[in-house]
Amino acid sequence: RGNTTKMLGEVKQENLGFGNDRGEYYSTTATITFFSKDKALYKACGEEVDGKVCNKKVVENGDGTYRCEKCARDKSTFKWRIMLQINMADATDNTWASCFQETAEQILGVKSDELGYWLETDEEKYNAVFQEATFKTYSFRMRVKEDNYNDESRLKHTVVQV
């Protein structure tokens, strides 16, 4: 069951992910139809704490420094992180999914620091990256999990592997 290939319509029909705290995995082949690119990038801490990199969003202090609330420190640098919202479709249905750093870089064909540079210096080039990746078809390894937001239960799809 964990390695099942499913159409997106089947995933919805079977209510995959509902009532399962850890989420359920499935594989699918789908085409990316749309990127929500307005919040695709964020400035993250990037500090290594206990052997793990802190990926929390930093706040700009207004004096060229950045504050990480999690690490409780001010710093002069940050690391760009990608957090994509993509719409994917197959012949049966479509769904929104989250796509984080490594899988997002794979799909976009660009590293996060490069994308961040273009976001701040060349909007045309930035937009072209997304345009280039739209309507490409991939085999996705997905996780679907029930998520509660504002007393509303919904399914959250995340790309695990591309």
Side-chain angles (χ1 to χ4, degrees):
R1 186 180 164 94
N3 204 3
T4 323
T5 299
K6 293 187 176 292
M7 301 290 281
L8 294 174
E10 290 178 288
V11 173
K12 282 189 183 170
Q13 243 177 350
E14 294 170 17
N15 280 326
L16 215 61
F18 267 119
N20 186 327
D21 291 345
R22 300 199 2 243
E24 293 185 76
Y25 293 83
Y26 66 96
S27 297
T28 193
T29 299
T31 303
I32 296 171
T33 57
F34 187 78
F35 289 96
S36 178
K37 59 181 187 239
D38 47 334
K39 289 185 185 144
L41 278 169
Y42 71 95
K43 295 173 179 179
C45 176
E47 289 293 324
E48 200 167 305
V49 184
D50 302 326
K52 283 185 81 178
V53 177
C54 176
N55 291 323
K56 278 284 178 227
K57 188 175 183 172
V58 292
V59 179
E60 294 185 42
N61 290 326
D63 61 0
T65 63
Y66 304 88
R67 172 106 185 133
C68 175
E69 292 301 338
K70 186 179 180 199
C71 296
R73 58 164 64 135
D74 292 305
K75 40 204 278 53
S76 60
T77 60
F78 64 88
K79 289 266 190 274
W80 283 110
R81 296 278 303 169
I82 305 176
M83 194 173 76
L84 283 182
Q85 293 300 317
I86 62 173
N87 190 279
M88 52 170 66
D90 63 16
T92 61
D93 212 333
N94 74 87
T95 192
W96 281 96
S98 300
C99 194
F100 298 98
Q101 192 74 5
E102 292 76 15
T103 49
E105 287 179 336
Q106 239 180 308
I107 287 170
L108 295 176
V110 64
K111 293 283 181 209
S112 59
D113 51 353
E114 219 176 328
L115 194 61
Y117 175 76
W118 291 332
L119 175 68
E120 294 189 324
T121 61
D122 190 342
E123 194 184 345
E124 216 169 287
K125 188 124 186 177
Y126 176 78
N127 288 332
V129 169
F130 291 95
Q131 223 159 353
E132 185 67 30
T134 306
F135 300 118
K136 289 213 169 129
T137 303
Y138 296 94
S139 291
F140 293 98
R141 183 86 182 110
M142 304 290 295
R143 186 177 100 205
V144 60
K145 186 178 187 289
E146 191 173 0
D147 187 40
N148 290 305
Y149 183 75
N150 288 341
D151 290 331
E152 207 178 288
S153 182
R154 60 182 181 193
L155 290 172
K156 200 171 174 186
H157 297 259
T158 307
V159 176
V160 180
Q161 211 178 331
V162 181

